[in-house]
Amino acid sequence: MATSTGTPRPDSITPAAPAPEPGAAAPAAHPSRQADLPSGQISRLGIAAVVVTVVLWASAFVGIRAVGPRFSPGALTLGRLAVAAVVLGLVVLPTFRKAATLPRGREWWPILAYGVMWFGGYNVALNAAEHLLDAGTAALLINVNPILVAVMAGIILKEGFPRWLIIGSLVAFGGVAVIALGSGQRSTADVAGVLLCLLAAALAAVSVIVQKPVLRKLPAAQATWYGILIGALCCLPFSGQLVAEVQAAPLPATLGLVYLGVFPTAIAFTTWAYALSLIDAGRLAATTYLVPGTTILISWLVLGEIPTVWGLVGGAICLVGVALTRRRPRRRTPAGA
């Protein structure tokens, strides 16, 4: 898990900070608080964080598929968040002696926002939607999220609308559509399930935009832990269901719940936050188009579910699309140079 503990990054990947004005106090440096870097200058840890996030989030779909019949949507969310809060708290709490990293006053508002929307609302809505929709339809609807992030990041975060980001996002979305259409599962798309999926995608997209500025002030692990705690508090009304369902569930299902809390939640959301502190929100969100294809591969290896030709083709298209989002426009050579 890539977390910030105060060790500086190599100078080659950290932009030089402007000299402070005379009489002004020098800003406190923190390794997770730096400007977005071009793709060629992203640290190896940043790239590793993206890979870990994609793989673990993809594994969550397999885990939910395995334990979902034993746990209701709200109880599953609360269980994941409770486990994640304990595990990540072991990392975050020892850093509290550094009081300068604690949020103050209005700095709590965006943390409360993404804690409620992403860790609470998104997970409950998605879990509920997957009880009503087949996996292909759910995957297609949830992957509206990167497009929403790219649009909002361009408008709100002033990241603009790079041509290759738009082209690559559309290509990758087409790959997800191929995976969904070829999933081999056919069911009537329940209106409530569709609306829940779209709600989950919208909540996640808004949360990414809200979280981005927070990561300029807080370490990734700390920002994630606060969100997990807030989401867990929102899900406390499901505590009675969680206790009853854990008591009735077999041991493998309970261990699956613990896995979902430790890996796709505590670790993956932290590595996501770390990567988001380094990369434009729109470009980073586009990497999540790789999640459905990665889920197919994990299902193949773990559950023995042989992927369809459509799944393989769609996964390859997603890879091409994500690669296109990483392209940079060619610089025009000045006349006479």
Side-chain angles (χ1 to χ4, degrees):
M1 176 175 60
T3 58
S4 297
T5 57
T7 304
R9 297 195 184 101
D11 293 338
S12 60
I13 61 170
T14 305
E21 297 180 1
H30 192 284
S32 71
R33 305 172 200 166
Q34 57 177 286
D36 301 326
L37 302 175
S39 59
Q41 297 181 13
I42 298 172
S43 67
R44 292 181 180 179
L45 282 178
I47 296 173
V50 173
V51 173
V52 169
T53 301
V54 168
V55 173
L56 292 185
W57 278 356
S59 75
F61 287 93
V62 179
I64 292 172
R65 186 179 306 167
V67 306
R70 300 290 181 175
F71 296 100
S72 57
L76 178 58
T77 300
L78 177 58
R80 285 181 62 175
L81 294 177
V83 171
V86 172
V87 172
L88 197 54
L90 297 176
V91 177
V92 171
L93 287 174
T95 68
F96 272 12
R97 61 181 180 273
K98 300 178 181 179
T101 63
L102 295 175
R104 298 178 181 178
R106 295 182 179 179
E107 293 177 350
W108 280 104
W109 287 113
I111 299 173
L112 287 170
Y114 69 73
V116 172
M117 290 189 297
W118 203 355
F119 291 96
Y122 165 84
N123 281 296
V124 173
L126 178 58
N127 290 339
E130 290 191 359
H131 282 275
L132 302 172
L133 299 177
D134 61 80
T137 302
L140 177 60
L141 292 171
I142 287 296
N143 273 277
V144 173
N145 169 44
I147 294 178
L148 296 177
V149 172
V151 172
M152 287 190 290
I155 297 173
I156 299 173
L157 300 180
K158 309 299 182 183
E159 293 181 2
F161 299 94
R163 180 181 62 179
W164 285 112
L165 173 60
I166 302 302
I167 293 174
S169 295
L170 293 175
V171 171
F173 185 75
V176 174
V178 170
I179 293 174
L181 294 174
S183 64
Q185 302 185 40
R186 295 291 181 268
S187 68
T188 301
D190 186 274
V191 174
V194 171
L195 293 177
L196 284 169
C197 258
L198 293 177
L199 173 62
L203 289 174
V206 174
S207 298
V208 171
I209 303 303
V210 172
Q211 188 186 41
K212 176 72 172 177
V214 173
L215 294 169
R216 299 186 183 121
K217 300 179 180 180
L218 294 179
Q222 191 171 328
T224 302
W225 188 61
Y226 288 144
I228 288 172
L229 287 177
I230 293 166
L233 288 174
C234 293
C235 294
L236 283 180
F238 302 109
S239 56
Q241 293 180 5
L242 176 62
V243 171
E245 291 171 4
V246 168
Q247 291 175 343
L251 180 60
T254 303
L255 293 178
L257 175 63
V258 173
Y259 171 85
L260 290 172
V262 175
F263 293 94
T265 308
I267 295 178
F269 274 96
T270 300
T271 53
W272 164 270
Y274 177 80
L276 186 60
S277 71
L278 300 174
I279 307 171
D280 285 349
R283 293 185 182 277
L284 179 60
T287 64
T288 61
Y289 283 121
L290 299 176
V291 170
T294 307
T295 301
I296 290 176
L297 294 178
I298 294 175
S299 297
W300 187 7
L301 296 174
V302 177
L303 302 180
E305 296 178 352
I306 301 176
T308 65
V309 174
W310 288 105
L312 296 175
V313 171
I317 294 173
C318 288
L319 287 173
V320 172
V322 172
L324 289 175
T325 66
R326 308 308 303 164
R327 291 194 63 175
R328 296 280 175 175
R330 294 180 180 179
R331 294 183 179 180
R332 296 181 179 179
T333 305

